[in-house]
Amino acid sequence: MKLTRDRVVDAGLEVLAEDGLAGVTMRATARRLDAQAGSLYYHVADRAHLVRLMADRVAQRAYDAGTRELADLPDPDDWRSAVRVQATTLRTTIREHAGGAVLLASAPSLASTGALQLMERLLATLARAGVPVGERAVAADAVLSHVTGFVLQEQTAAPVGPPDVDGLAGLAAAFPLTFQSMGAGPDDEDATFARGVDLLCAGIAAHLDGRR
């Protein structure tokens, strides 16, 4: 089958899923395609270009998913709902790609067009909310960091064996507030994620109220 840029990016994402971001090399990607590494340079300039294209692929899918969900909002001026939609669709898309959280967390430093597109839309949402220009990037980064950090935990969670009851009892006694908080939170990861986004939005809203 003829090599194309899309096929090279697909192969890069497969390597990412199996070997992590550090394992994404031109040689590993070429092996995935049963091709010579040199042939990939007709389609991508180098490894950095390949990783940027991979980030663009994931980010573009998240952007498109967000666009569809935003179009269904009953009140387009409800900035909190718009933030929730963007955060939720980004999380859903990243979870579809093993290693996607690390990839997207690195995307701004890679100058990924897709990641910058996500940031631009979120900044526009915060601008409509009235967040001052000097604080928008901080607020947007907090939201996006919540998404990538949350998915990173989901994608790197390792199976554990039977709990050490005695050990847990000792830890609970030493760190009572931590264990109390763990037991008082939402019942599932989706609810926990949504609650985190809501708290961030509440903090932004409270900050805006304090400035008025």
Side-chain angles (χ1 to χ4, degrees):
M1 187 181 297
K2 182 180 178 180
L3 277 183
T4 64
R5 176 175 286 186
D6 282 343
R7 286 194 65 214
V8 173
V9 173
D10 288 340
L13 288 170
E14 291 175 4
V15 175
L16 173 71
E18 291 190 6
D19 301 324
L21 188 57
V24 178
T25 65
M26 298 295 280
R27 184 168 297 177
T29 304
R31 283 199 300 269
R32 178 73 53 170
L33 293 162
D34 195 23
Q36 296 297 317
S39 63
L40 270 61
Y41 290 96
Y42 289 100
H43 306 282
V44 296
D46 50 28
R47 178 189 182 273
H49 185 208
L50 171 59
V51 173
R52 186 167 65 250
L53 291 172
M54 290 161 53
D56 281 339
R57 170 76 65 80
V58 177
Q60 185 63 55
R61 288 175 175 170
Y63 186 87
D64 292 343
T67 298
R68 291 189 293 271
E69 294 290 331
L70 287 168
D72 291 335
L73 285 179
D75 181 4
D77 294 325
D78 181 357
W79 68 268
R80 294 195 196 201
S81 293
V83 169
R84 290 187 202 105
V85 163
Q86 291 172 70
T88 302
T89 52
L90 177 57
R91 174 190 174 226
T92 299
T93 304
I94 295 176
R95 289 179 63 187
E96 294 171 354
H97 300 272
V102 174
L103 181 65
L104 264 292
S106 305
S109 63
L110 299 169
S112 161
T113 302
L116 292 172
Q117 188 172 235
L118 289 169
M119 173 65 87
E120 185 76 8
R121 181 166 65 188
L122 183 54
L123 288 170
T125 301
L126 295 170
R128 290 196 302 274
V131 178
V133 62
E135 298 173 352
R136 287 174 204 158
V138 176
D141 186 62
V143 173
L144 295 177
S145 294
H146 173 61
V147 179
T148 54
F150 197 94
V151 180
L152 182 61
Q153 292 182 75
E154 293 181 298
Q155 292 187 330
T156 58
V160 295
D164 177 357
V165 177
D166 293 335
L168 284 176
L171 289 173
F175 306 101
L177 295 179
T178 300
F179 275 73
Q180 181 184 40
S181 297
M182 291 168 58
D187 294 333
D188 58 64
E189 290 184 336
D190 291 345
T192 300
F193 175 80
R195 184 58 179 152
V197 175
D198 287 346
L199 286 172
L200 286 169
C201 288
I204 294 170
H207 180 66
L208 291 175
D209 289 341
R211 295 177 60 92
R212 294 189 178 107

